[in-house]
Amino acid sequence: MALTTRNADKRMQILEATIRVLRERGLSGLKVEDVARAAEVGKGTVYLYFRDKQDLLRALVEYRTLSFYRDAEALVKAAKPFRERLRDLLSRRLEFIDEWRGLWAAVAAEAVKEDKESWLKGLHERYQAILEDFVEGGIRDGELRADLEVRLVAATLAALGCAPQLDFPREAFLDQLVEVWVKGVGA
Amino acid sequence: MALTTRNADKRMQILEATIRVLRERGLSGLKVEDVARAAEVGKGTVYLYFRDKQDLLRALVEYRTLSFYRDAEALVKAAKPFRERLRDLLSRRLEFIDEWRGLWAAVAAEAVKEDKESWLKGLHERYQAILEDFVEGGIRDGELRADLEVRLVAATLAALGCAPQLDFPREAFLDQLVEVWVKGVGA
Amino acid sequence: MALTTRNADKRMQILEATIRVLRERGLSGLKVEDVARAAEVGKGTVYLYFRDKQDLLRALVEYRTLSFYRDAEALVKAAKPFRERLRDLLSRRLEFIDEWRGLWAAVAAEAVKEDKESWLKGLHERYQAILEDFVEGGIRDGELRADLEVRLVAATLAALGCAPQLDFPREAFLDQLVEVWVKGVGA
Amino acid sequence: MALTTRNADKRMQILEATIRVLRERGLSGLKVEDVARAAEVGKGTVYLYFRDKQDLLRALVEYRTLSFYRDAEALVKAAKPFRERLRDLLSRRLEFIDEWRGLWAAVAAEAVKEDKESWLKGLHERYQAILEDFVEGGIRDGELRADLEVRLVAATLAALGCAPQLDFPREAFLDQLVEVWVKGVGA
DNA sequence: GATGAATGAGGTTTCATTCAT
DNA sequence: CATGAATGAAACCTCATTCAT
């Protein structure tokens, strides 16, 4: 138990270190040795918790992505007005993208060499499902037009938020995004 | 002259091979030797046209990105209805994203180690400018609301198009994107 | 402690292997891989102890040269008659030159690309100082003429010993060298 | 004839360029391409005059070494006092060493991979012979002691002149060398 | 003859992975 | 369990050499 806990802690510690190094040094600068140093463990220890570097990356992608999905789900189901929930979702989405510095797809590609397509598709479907729920709820509540094709609209939401080089206030940008999308598909 | 032509041709040949290999093998699978083989030249020849691998990547990013910007500019300035121009733009954007398989940011990060920020910002500003032109034109023509803050709206357009795993017809998705955005900011 | 010892040992092991390979294969035949094999370590291990090949060469030049200087100093300060000390010095000098097979200058040139001049001068000054001490002692003891300019005479000693292709007994040659120089500057 | 002359010229031009590049860039910096540029010919042209790089180096070593021997022979046979002839010889010797920047042995080692020993010995014997002639002449003329073993004394002369880092006037150094040797073996 | 674009063998170096401690 | 010294496969890159023009 204590052991399991300590192990789980160290796993996390390594995963957190990994994304930190990734952000600082980029994908080609991501060395196992640096990850170990950043996690304050020995290099060999990384291999006690992950089969190899690819396994570490796969675990990282799943850890941060599922964490994002969990948050996204909670945010869109919160007891708040529709627009606020949308704004929270998009905000968290921008945060997610920023966390990866645009490297998500590249890391994901390294993380899984076989069955890549189905793995990616599986991940994305979970997000798509969350968004479809949100859209359906919006329609039910009269916030969104009833004649929309849910899957397509959810997809436009998923497609919203590629992080441009923001040289203006993030809040204003978020407001504008919400504004556009709500006007675009709102009732 | 003939030389310049041949040289320019071979440079292109290598760049085209590079993006092909990148798409097939991913970033970590991008070996100079494979690029050379794909371009049907010797390994050393790559180094006649590019200082090193980083230089090759930088040239590739610029080549494809500027090519995209050129097309984008032409498309939004075409003599067509506003919605069609928008659709063409978004279509080309999806194509651009698909071409890189989501690796654009990662490749760009490898391509430039110093002054990265200013280089990225410089590139993005060109795109932002094209979009601002488009938005301003739309306002002038009465297609878009006049009370919009041009830069923010252009930014929402830039943020539109992260390629999700499309499991429905691309055309329908594009139509929906256009629909949402035009409704969102249209007059 | 044990570590330091083991590390120092392995460093030495690699340096000894390097000069062995250098003598056998020449400068252009000096591959890091061969050095590693000769030192009975892996190729990568060499890079644990030396930043790169140039660093290895620099360390080698310093190691063998300082070792020679240390011996030279001890020999000229030994409690022996002047002529014997001179003979021991020249003998060690011939050994040093033979050890490098005439490649000292070439290896030194590879070993240091910047500040080469000051590095070489710095090294040589240590030798010159040892010789000047020896000459001064000789004058004090009445072995050498008192009207000599110490630095110049020390320099002639430094200039003595370019290894010709010896096709006669080394001992006789050494005796002759001693004879000439002592007659030349002796009291 | 004209052709032969032009060819011989171009050969020389390349050899002169080679030693220039060697002095400037060192042995590992000696690229055929740089030699060609320095000689103001095409890279392929070098291969019209020399079988390969090794052949170029062998020709260079022979060219400069035989040139030195020719000069040395003329200098020691000149109609001048003994000491002056000795001084001229040593002066030319220092010049020769300086010309190679200490790289003579290393270049010679690259220049000949097989029969290296006999080639080096053959070259050196020519120099030894010149020096023996000089010593014999000196004895005949009563300038040198008659009880000397000619070969050994000639060898000490050959061993004289390793170029130290001269930080005092070259002329004074030369005078001192002459002084020492003449005193050492003179009548 | 003269050229220099093209080549690829072969060198240097990195870094994921192992394993003895 | 944890470690990091050691390893060598595999990547990058150089440069001697060739050959079509």
Side-chain angles (χ1 to χ4, degrees), chain A residues 14-36 38 47 53-54 56-58 60-61 100 103 106-108 110-111, chain B residues 110 113:
Chain A
I14 293 169
L15 288 173
E16 302 282 7
T18 304
I19 199 152
R20 231 152 53 226
V21 173
L22 184 67
R23 292 177 49 143
E24 279 165 25
R25 303 252 230 286
L27 182 52
S28 79
L30 184 73
K31 328 275 189 239
V32 174
E33 176 148 22
D34 292 345
V35 168
Y47 287 85
K53 194 184 177 185
Q54 177 168 313
L56 170 65
L57 293 183
R58 193 197 41 66
L60 177 66
V61 170
W100 288 93
L103 303 179
V107 177
E110 305 291 295
Chain B
E110 305 291 294
K113 297 289 187 192

Side-chain angles (χ1 to χ4, degrees), chain C:
Chain C
M1 222 171 322
L3 257 186
T4 306
T5 303
R6 212 183 48 232
N7 283 353
D9 281 359
K10 197 154 280 185
R11 241 184 103 91
M12 284 294 265
Q13 196 177 319
I14 293 170
L15 288 173
E16 303 281 6
T18 305
I19 200 154
R20 234 153 50 226
V21 173
L22 184 66
R23 292 178 51 145
E24 281 165 23
R25 303 254 229 287
L27 182 53
S28 77
L30 184 72
K31 329 279 186 226
V32 173
E33 178 146 24
D34 293 343
V35 168
R37 190 168 20 251
E40 295 181 297
V41 299
K43 203 186 336 169
T45 306
V46 174
Y47 288 88
L48 286 182
Y49 292 89
F50 303 94
R51 188 168 25 272
D52 52 22
K53 194 182 177 186
Q54 176 169 315
D55 186 44
L56 170 65
L57 293 183
R58 193 196 43 67
L60 178 67
V61 170
E62 286 183 351
Y63 163 47
R64 298 313 301 155
T65 304
L66 297 183
S67 166
F68 164 55
Y69 291 169
R70 217 172 301 119
D71 291 351
E73 192 158 26
L75 291 171
V76 299
K77 288 186 169 164
K80 286 185 176 185
F82 183 77
R83 284 179 76 108
E84 275 181 44
R85 283 184 285 137
L86 173 62
R87 194 180 192 282
D88 290 346
L89 171 69
L90 290 175
S91 175
R92 181 67 180 82
R93 171 94 153 112
L94 288 190
E95 193 183 304
F96 175 73
I97 288 173
D98 181 59
E99 171 178 87
W100 288 95
R101 299 273 158 96
L103 302 180
W104 191 92
V107 177
E110 305 292 293
V112 178
K113 296 289 186 191
E114 39 200 35
D115 294 325
K116 175 146 57 189
E117 289 313 311
S118 67
W119 184 68
L120 287 175
K121 184 169 272 206
L123 273 181
H124 184 70
E125 262 163 23
R126 294 197 46 169
Y127 189 48
Q128 173 78 14
I130 293 167
L131 297 181
E132 290 183 10
D133 266 3
F134 176 62
V135 168
E136 276 166 3
I139 294 175
R140 256 198 317 277
D141 299 346
E143 300 281 354
L144 299 179
R145 297 206 326 262
D147 62 328
L148 299 168
E149 189 175 345
V150 173
R151 292 179 60 237
L152 275 182
V153 173
T156 64
L157 200 45
L160 203 60
C162 306
Q165 303 281 322
L166 287 183
D167 48 359
F168 33 71
R170 176 197 165 86
E171 298 304 312
F173 176 63
L174 261 178
D175 287 335
Q176 187 66 265
L177 272 186
V178 169
E179 175 78 11
V180 169
W181 196 77
V182 169
K183 270 235 172 60
V185 295

Side-chain angles (χ1 to χ4, degrees), chain A residues 80-97:
Chain A
K80 285 186 176 185
F82 183 77
R83 283 179 78 109
E84 275 181 42
R85 283 182 287 135
L86 173 62
R87 195 180 191 283
D88 290 345
L89 171 69
L90 291 175
S91 176
R92 180 67 179 82
R93 170 94 154 113
L94 289 189
E95 192 182 304
F96 176 72
I97 289 173

Side-chain angles (χ1 to χ4, degrees), chain A residues 28 102-103 105-106 110 113 124 145 151-152 155-156 159-162 164-165 167-168 173 176-177 180-181 183-185, chain B residues 28 102-103 105-106 110 113 124 145 151-152 155-156 159-162 164-165 167-168 173 176 180-181 183-185:
Chain A
S28 79
L103 303 179
E110 305 291 295
K113 296 289 188 190
H124 184 70
R145 296 207 325 263
R151 291 179 59 240
L152 276 182
T156 64
L160 203 59
C162 308
Q165 304 280 325
D167 48 359
F168 31 72
F173 176 63
Q176 187 66 265
L177 273 186
V180 169
W181 196 77
K183 269 235 171 61
V185 295
Chain B
S28 77
L103 302 179
E110 305 291 294
K113 297 289 187 192
H124 184 69
R145 296 206 325 265
R151 291 178 61 237
L152 276 181
T156 64
L160 203 59
C162 307
Q165 303 282 323
D167 48 359
F168 33 72
F173 176 63
Q176 188 65 265
V180 169
W181 196 77
K183 270 237 172 58
V185 295

